[in-house]
Amino acid sequence: MAVSIQAMGPVWESVLEQTKYAQENNSDPLLWAVQLSSSLNSAGVSLPSIDLAHVLVSHICWDNHVPITWKFLEKALTVKFVPPMLVLALLSTRVIPNRKFHPAAYRLYMELLRRHAFSLKCQISGPNYQKIMKSIDDVLHLSRIFGIQVSEPGLLLVEFVFSIVWQLLDASLDDEGLLELTTEKRSIWPTVTKDMEIDNADNFNEKRNEHHNVLYKGNTTMAIEIIGEFLQNKVTSRILFLARRNMSSHWGAFIQQLRVLAAKSVALRNSKQITPEALLQLTSDTRKVLSRECKTISQQEFHAVIGNGSLTSSSGQCHGTSPSAHCLPIDLFLEDAMDGSQVAATGAVERLTGLVKALQAVNGTTWHDTFLGLWIAALRLVQRERDISEGPVPRLDTCLCMLLSITPLVVANIVEEEESELIDDSDCSPTNQTNEKQATGRCRKDLISSLQMLSDYEALLTPPQSVHSVANQAAAKAVMFVSGVTVGNGYYECMSINDMPMNCSGNLRHLIVEACIARKLLDTSSYVWPGYVNARANIPRSVPSQVPGWSSLMKGSPLTPTLINALIATPASSLAEIEKIFEIATKGSDDEKISAASILCGASLVRGWNIQEQTILFIASLLSPPVPAHYSGSESHLIGYAPFLNVLLVGISPVDCVQIFSLHGMVSLLAGTLMPLCEVFGSTAPNVSWTLPAGEELTSHAVFTNAFTLLLRLWRFDHPPLEHVMRDATPVGSQLSPEYLLLVRNSKLSAFGKSPKDHLKIKRMSKNLNFSLELIFMDSFPKLKRWYRQHQECIASTLSGLVQGTTVHQIVDAFLNMMFRKISRGGQSLTSTTSGSSSSSASGAEDVSIRLKVPAWDILEGTPYVLDAALTACAHGRLSPRELVTGLKDLADFLPATLATIVSYFSAEVTRGIWKPVFMNGTDWPSPSANLSIVEQQIKKIIAATGVDVPSLAVGGSSPAMLPLPLAALISLTITYKLDKASDRFLILIGPALSSLAEGCPWPCMPIIVSLWAQKVKRWNDFLVFSASRTVFHHSSDAVVQLLRSCFTSTLGLSPSIIYSNGGVGALLGHGFGSHFSGGMAPVAPGIMYLRVHRSIRDIMFMTEEIVSLLTSFVRDIASSGLSREKLEKLKKTKFGLRYGQVSLGAAMTRVKLAASLGASLVWLSGGLSLVQSLIKETLPSWFISTHTSEQDGGELGGIVVMLRGYALAYFAVICGTFAWGVDSASPASKRRPKVLGAHLEFLASALDGKISLGCDCATWRAYVTGFVSLMVGRTQKWVLEINVDVLKRLSNGLRQWNEEELAMALLGLGGIGATSPAAELIIEIGV
C-alpha cells in the first residue's frame, strides 16, 4: 500500500519531516532512532508499528534511495520499531521489479533478508502478530494468489516465506532470460523488470556502467544462494515443506521453475556456495524434512538400542534383509485364500494389493524387498502343495493361479498405479521428460531386481511334476531368443523331451517371468539376465513336424475333434488365441460354439495363467448371450442356447475352477449371469430335450440343476442357522445371501471406469468384450426370490401345513409315490403328518412321471414337505432307514438341485434338536466302528502336535455311535454316490454342508462321519481326519486360545519343540498338510490348523482380547530370550547396562514387530474389517484403562518390558488398521477409517489431557502413544489428513509435555491446511 503525504496523519507527517531532517544532516541512525522513539511515545504509537513500516519503505522507494535512509531502515528493524516480515514484504513489491535499475537496492534487500527472514521466533511472539500477518497478506495478496481463504497468521506466514523464495526464483530466471522456458512463461509475482527513466541524481550515481552490470549479475548469484539458504535452514525448510504438502499445485509450478534454473542457469553453475545438484536435492521427495527425530522418553539407553527410538527405524532397508519377517502376513493371507470351503465375493487381487502396499508402507521396506517377499511367499505356497494328502478339494491349480496370475496382477496394479500418479502429477505440474522416465522406471527396476534375486532361492523354484513340461518350454523359449533362433508357438506345442535344447531345464521363475512379460511388466530383455538360461545350449536343427494346436487354429485350421482335444488340454499362450475362440463361440455354428465353450473351460481356464483373467471374462460374457437380432419367440431366448450354456456350466463347476473365479474377484459377476439362467430354466417344464454331441439327452431340469448348484456354491447357504446369530461380526447374514452378491456386483459395475486404476484395467482387457453395466436386483428373479424366502423360512421355523389340492400338494404326493413305491402300494400314507391327505389311490408310474414334468422351481417348493414326511415316517417306524436313503437318492437323481433343499432342511432340523438320535449299528444305519477309534486317536495326535491339549476329548469310548436322524440320513445319502465326474458337482455341494453341520453337533458326530467316509475312500483318510480335528476348536474356546499361543511360540522360535525352534514362517506354516513321513501323517503346523478352523469359531469377538493378551505376555519372553544369565548379571553392574545388550535388544525389537505382525494378521483374517474396528474402538482402550499387575515385569528387564509392550501394541494397532483400511483411499473400506481412527485418537488425546484415568504402566502408555503417532507420521501419512485438527492439536500438546517436540511438529505438519498454522508456529518455536 503506497503512503502519500496527503493520506498520512499528523503523526506520520511529523515522522517523515524528522526523517528528512536527519537525512539532510546525515545524522547518526541511533540518534534518529532515539528521537523517533520519543515522538512516537508521545503520540501513543505502539511498536513495532505497521504504519511506520509503510512510511519508511515509501520514503526510500525511490525519491530517497540513498545510503543514509537504508541505514535508518536497518536501525528501525534492529530496535524493533517496524515488523521485519512486513518490511521485507513491502520491499519485495518495490525492489524486485526495479532490481535492474537499482541493483544496489536489490543487494540491500537481500542482505536484509539474510539478517531478518530467518529470525522468525521473536516475530511471531511479538505484539500485533496477527495484524502484521494480515497487513502482509494485503501487500502481497497471498490469499488470492494461493487460493486459500483461511487467514490464520501461521498459514499466512507459510505463504509469506514461500512467496519470498518464489519471487527470488522468478527474478533469477528473468535475469538470465530463462523465464520463457518455464511452462507458464511468466511469473505470478511482480518480479519482471519494469521500464523506467533513471536520472543521474541521488541514486548512488548508479549508471549503466561496468560496475552496474557486475553488481546486477552478482545479485542473481546471491539470490540463488539465498534460495538455497531458505531450503537448507532447518526452520524455513520445514515451513516450505508445509507449503509443499498443502499447496501442491503451486509447489509443483515452483519445482518446475527450479528445475529449469538448475538445468540452464549460468549463475548457479558459477556459484561457489551451491551446485545445481545440491539445489535439486534440497527439494527432492527423498529428503526427510519433517521426519520424526524422537527425543528421550524415559530411558536414553533404550533408545540407543533401537536406533532412533522409533518403530519405523528397524525395518531393514538393505536388500539382504530376510523377507520372512515382514512378509509373514502375505504367507498367511495366501494360505487362507486357499481354503476351498470359502468362496470370497471380493477378489484376491484387490485384497492382496492392499496388503502388499500396507506392509511396504508400515515396514518402510524398498519395493525390491517387498516384491521379493511377495514372490517368495507365493512360491512357498506352491511348495507346501508338493506332497499334499489327497482329498476331494484339489489345490495345486489354485496355488499356481495365485503365483502365476494373481501375484503378477498385484504387481501390475502397484506399478501401474505409480505410473498413473506420475502422469497425474505431470498434468498438474509438468516436469521434464527425463526425470519422469526415471521415476517411472524405479518401481519396475525393483521388480526386475527382485526377480533376478529369486535365483538365490533354488529350492523354492522347483516346479511341481505336473508343470515340469510347461516350465521347460518357458526356458526353451528364452534359449531360442538368446540364440537368435526365431520360431513360432507351434514349435513349443510339438516339442518333445528329445527336441528340447540341452541345459534348458525350466523352473518356476521362468513361468513367473513369462507371466510378467504377458502383462507388459517385463520385456524379452529378461531372457538375457545372468544365469537365466544357458545361452550356449545346443539348439535342434530340425523343427519337429506340425501337430494340431493353437498355432494351427490361428492359421485357419477347422475345429476337428483332434484339434479340439488338443486345445482343451493345452492352455492358450496369448490373448489373440483366446479372442479367436471367443469369436467362434459367438459367431460359429452350433457345434462349433459348443466346442469353443469346451476349449475355454479347459486348460486355458485352469492353467492359462498369462491370460487367465481374460478367459474368465470371456466365459462370464458367454453365459449371458444376447438376444438374436430377429428373435420373436414367446419363451426366453436363453432356451435356445441350452446345450451351449450347459457346456459352460459343467466346465466351470469343478472346485478349482470356482476357486479361480473367486481369486479373480469374479464371483459376484458370475452370480449375476447365473441368476437369469436359474430363473428361465427353472421356470421351464422338461417337455423339450436336446441331444448332445456325445448322444445323451439334455433337459431344462439338467441345465437348471447345473446353474442352480453352481450359484449356491457362491454364497454360504450350507452353513447352519447357528452361524446367523452366534458369529459376532458385522451382520454375517448379509454376506450369506444372493442379495449380497448382487450388491457387490452392482457396486463394482456402477463404479467401474471412474478411477484411474480402472482405466488401466480397461487397457489390459480385450476389446472384443462387451459387458452390460445394467444393475440387476432380486426383484428381477421372482422365482429365485420366492425360493430364497422359503429357504429362510425353513431355517427359521418348522413347516406350516400343506394345503390340499394345490399344485405343490400334487407334486409332494407324486414324489412320495415315486420315492416309496412299496409303502404307497400298501396303502399307507406318508403325507398324513403334514397334509392330512391320503395317497391310497396310488397312481401308476406313468402318471407319476407325467405329474412330475413340471418346472424345477415347483419341485423345489414341494421338496421340504417331501423331506418332512419322509423323516417323520422313518422316525415313527413306517419307513426303514434303507428305504429313506433310497428314496432320498431317487429324489436327488430325479432333480439333483433338490440336494440344496435336502442340505438346508436337514441342517435346520438338526439345529432344532427335535429328532432323536439313531444308532449307527451297521444294520439300520452304516456303522463307523471299523475305524472310529483309529480316527479319534489320529485326531488327538493332530491336535497334540499343534501344542493343544484337550483333556475332554474322549477317545475309544464304549458308548455306541449315534447321530441325529437328519444327519444320519444325510451322511448315508452322501456315501451312496460314486466318485465319478458326474457326481463330483453334487458332492462338492453336499460335502461342505455336511462338514459344517457336523461341526456344530456334539462330539463325536464328526469322527463318526469321517470314519464312514474314510471307509468309502481310504486314500482320503488323512484329509478327512485333519478336517475332523477342526471340530475340537468349534466346541472349545480354551483350545482356540492354546492354538493361538502355539502360533506365537512357533513363530517367535520360543517353542521347546525342535521343529519350531527356528521360528518364522517355516515354523508357523510348516510344510502344509500331508503324509511326508512314512508310516503316518506329518505334524500339522499350528498356523495351518488355525487358518482352517477360524471360520468355525462361533464367537470371534473374544479373539481380539486373547490376541492382545498373548502379544503383551510374549513381550517379556522376547526381551529375556536374547539375554543369557551372564549378560543379565553384567547388565546390573554396568552404568549404561542396556547398551551392553544392544544387539540382543535390537533383535528383540525385530521379534516384537514379528509378534505384532502375526497378531494383526490373525485378527484381520479372522474377522476382517469389523473385528479390526472393534479392536481399535473398544478392545485397546479397555486394555489401557484396565489395571495390569504382573510381578514378572519387575527386575532388571522391567523397564524394557513395559516399554516394548507399548511399542508392540502400537505396531499391532497400526498394522491392523492398514490391513483393514489400507494406507490410502483406494479401497471402499477406507471410507470408514476417519470415524474409527478419529475416535481412537480422541481417546489418546483425552488421556493426554488427563480426562481419562489409565490403569496401564506409564512407560507402556508413553511408548504406545509415541509409537502409534510415529508410525502414522512416518508410514501412513494420509491417515493424518482425515483427523480433526483440534484432536491433532491436543495430541501435539500432549507430546510436547513429554519433550517430543519433533514428533508433535511432524504430526501437525501432516494435518492438512487446517493444521498448517499451528504447525508453522510450532516449527518456529522449536527452532534449531
Side-chain angles (χ1 to χ4, degrees), residues 1013-1083:
W1013 261 100
Q1015 291 175 31
K1016 180 178 176 67
V1017 193
K1018 292 183 179 180
R1019 66 181 185 275
W1020 287 1
N1021 180 81
D1022 290 355
F1023 175 88
L1024 294 169
V1025 170
F1026 173 64
S1027 299
S1029 64
R1030 302 179 301 185
T1031 309
V1032 175
F1033 302 94
H1034 184 80
H1035 293 288
S1036 172
S1037 296
D1038 180 63
V1040 175
V1041 175
Q1042 290 185 56
L1043 182 59
L1044 285 171
R1045 180 176 293 276
S1046 186
C1047 288
F1048 276 94
T1049 54
S1050 59
T1051 303
L1052 299 173
L1054 300 175
S1055 173
S1057 170
I1058 297 177
I1059 298 176
Y1060 305 139
S1061 59
N1062 291 329
V1065 176
L1068 178 65
L1069 298 178
H1071 301 283
F1073 168 72
S1075 301
H1076 304 288
F1077 303 133
S1078 59
M1081 296 171 60

Side-chain angles (χ1 to χ4, degrees), residues 342-356:
Q342 177 71 6
V343 178
T346 54
V349 176
E350 290 78 11
R351 296 181 71 201
L352 185 55
T353 300
L355 176 61
V356 171

Side-chain angles (χ1 to χ4, degrees), residues 551-562:
S551 56
S552 303
L553 176 74
M554 299 306 288
K555 292 176 182 177
S557 297
L559 285 178
T560 62
T562 304

Side-chain angles (χ1 to χ4, degrees), residues 25 105 136 392 438 734 867 883 976 1319:
N25 291 281
I136 292 174
Q438 290 173 350
S734 66
L867 299 175
E883 290 169 333
T976 63

Side-chain angles (χ1 to χ4, degrees), residues 1111-1122:
L1111 175 60
T1112 55
S1113 68
F1114 272 106
V1115 168
R1116 179 176 176 80
D1117 296 336
I1118 291 171
S1120 60
S1121 63

Side-chain angles (χ1 to χ4, degrees), residues 382 396-397 400 404 462-473 506-508 511 607 609:
V382 173
L396 179 59
D397 284 328
L400 289 169
L404 299 173
T462 305
Q465 188 62 39
S466 58
V467 294
H468 261 299
S469 61
V470 184
N472 289 343
Q473 287 178 12
N507 58 34
L508 290 175
L511 295 178
R607 294 195 172 178
W609 305 296

Side-chain angles (χ1 to χ4, degrees), residues 779-847:
D779 290 339
S780 304
F781 315 110
K783 297 285 188 179
L784 175 62
K785 184 177 181 180
R786 183 175 178 180
W787 171 86
Y788 180 60
R789 187 183 297 117
Q790 183 191 39
H791 166 74
Q792 291 178 306
E793 290 171 353
C794 262
I795 289 175
S797 62
T798 56
L799 287 173
S800 58
L802 181 60
V803 180
Q804 296 187 42
T806 61
T807 303
V808 174
H809 173 265
Q810 294 172 3
I811 292 172
V812 171
D813 194 57
F815 263 116
L816 291 174
N817 278 289
M818 180 197 76
M819 294 164 60
F820 311 114
R821 297 181 187 89
K822 293 181 181 178
I823 296 177
S824 297
R825 285 196 296 270
Q828 186 178 5
S829 172
L830 292 183
T831 60
S832 58
T833 56
T834 50
S835 66
S837 69
S838 172
S839 58
S840 56
S841 56
S843 304
E846 270 185 35
D847 184 38

Side-chain angles (χ1 to χ4, degrees), residues 516-565:
C516 291
I517 291 175
R519 290 169 177 84
K520 296 182 172 56
L521 293 170
L522 302 174
D523 55 31
T524 50
S525 64
S526 55
Y527 293 157
V528 298
W529 289 348
Y532 186 73
V533 292
N534 186 349
R536 297 290 178 262
N538 296 322
I539 309 299
R541 296 186 179 276
S542 61
V543 176
S545 58
Q546 184 73 32
V547 297
W550 287 98
S551 56
S552 303
L553 176 74
M554 299 306 288
K555 292 176 182 177
S557 297
L559 285 178
T560 62
T562 304
L563 179 58
I564 292 170
N565 291 333

